[in-house]
Amino acid sequence: QNVLFRGVGEPLNNVHSVAEAVRILTDDNCFRISPSKVTVSSVGPSPELIRATADVRAMLAWSVHAADDSLRKQLVPTTKHSMTRLRDTYLDVLKARTRGMSVFMVAVTLINGVNDSEEHAEQLVQLMQPLRDAGIKLCVDLIPYNDIGAAGTFGLAGGVQFTRTQPDRVNAFQKVVRSYGVTCFVRVTRGDDEGAACGQLVTTAGKLRRKRQAAQGGEAAQE
């Protein structure tokens, strides 16, 4: 049994309700799930909200996506604080935990030509070095981007359309991270052949809705 709070809106924007849900899931008189089997994943909206996880009996995960402040701001527009400040706040929270509950997952969605270079991998490891120095066990989760079939572009010079990172670039990124002795896994994509992978469902629903609206508009015009 594993429970992951992710993909349902930012958990820390509703941290008190999330904490209560975790309490029920881990209560011996309720679901009796081990706290080490429950994970709360967040982009880390602010130091204040990160500190609010101190009393949440669950593992913590940070959706980083980029260690560089400028790039991270473009990938996660809600970012209002530097990555070092967010990292240091997580470090304070994790240091106060027991060893078993201080394992920290770091997630990076790899986008072709945007955040998937070996340099980006080096930046990620350097950002996390203070946690390693403090004895925090890290686990980096690499997530190949799922194509949503949209024409959205990335705000770099000339614009870059989001596409999935090629396997050789994923492997190179993973190799750099592992060369520092950091555990690093590549997420196995499931459901993308049916448009049902992470990030694809809402896009599919939107396409169907627009098609229905267009069809209804055509029928109205004929009348």
Side-chain angles (χ1 to χ4, degrees):
Q1 280 182 319
N2 291 283
V3 177
L4 173 62
F5 287 83
R6 173 188 283 164
V8 291
E10 169 53 52
L12 299 195
N13 285 341
N14 194 25
V15 65
H16 299 298
S17 295
V18 169
E20 177 63 10
V22 170
R23 185 193 66 77
I24 293 170
L25 289 169
T26 58
D27 193 307
D28 286 340
N29 295 313
C30 295
F31 290 91
R32 302 183 65 181
I33 299 175
S34 170
S36 64
K37 298 294 185 180
V38 182
T39 301
V40 176
S41 178
S42 169
V43 298
S46 69
E48 293 73 24
L49 289 175
I50 293 172
R51 280 192 285 271
T53 65
D55 298 323
V56 178
R57 297 183 67 232
M59 309 299 284
L60 298 178
W62 187 17
S63 294
V64 172
H65 306 310
D68 175 78
D69 285 334
S70 177
L71 179 56
R72 213 271 181 157
K73 175 67 176 176
Q74 293 178 77
L75 292 175
V76 185
T78 57
T79 302
K80 293 182 173 62
H81 304 274
S82 71
M83 295 301 284
T84 54
R85 186 179 178 194
L86 297 176
R87 176 207 61 201
D88 290 346
T89 308
Y90 269 118
L91 176 57
D92 290 342
V93 171
L94 292 166
K95 285 195 300 185
R97 292 179 163 223
T98 62
R99 185 173 180 82
M101 292 299 293
S102 66
V103 178
F104 192 43
M105 179 176 288
V106 175
V108 180
T109 298
L110 295 177
I111 304 170
N112 189 43
V114 174
N115 65 340
D116 62 344
S117 71
E118 293 181 38
E119 181 182 358
H120 292 124
E122 292 275 359
Q123 292 173 352
L124 177 66
V125 173
Q126 294 308 315
L127 175 68
M128 298 301 160
Q129 188 60 44
L131 283 84
R132 299 179 64 216
D133 292 341
I136 304 299
K137 183 178 179 181
L138 292 177
C139 180
V140 175
D141 185 22
L142 302 181
I143 309 168
Y145 175 76
N146 290 316
D147 184 12
I148 60 175
T153 58
F154 182 62
L156 293 174
V160 178
Q161 185 167 341
F162 282 5
T163 57
R164 176 175 294 187
T165 297
Q166 296 303 306
D168 60 330
R169 293 179 69 85
V170 175
N171 294 336
F173 194 108
Q174 182 184 42
K175 184 177 179 179
V176 170
V177 175
R178 285 182 168 177
S179 71
Y180 286 89
V182 177
T183 301
C184 184
F185 298 103
V186 179
R187 180 86 60 83
V188 176
T189 299
R190 296 184 176 90
D192 57 324
D193 54 337
E194 297 293 335
C198 181
Q200 291 182 322
L201 290 176
V202 66
T203 306
T204 300
K207 286 180 179 178
L208 292 174
R209 183 172 61 253
R210 287 190 292 273
K211 284 182 179 180
R212 285 196 297 269
Q213 291 173 343
Q216 292 170 356
E219 292 173 358
Q222 290 177 3
E223 293 177 359

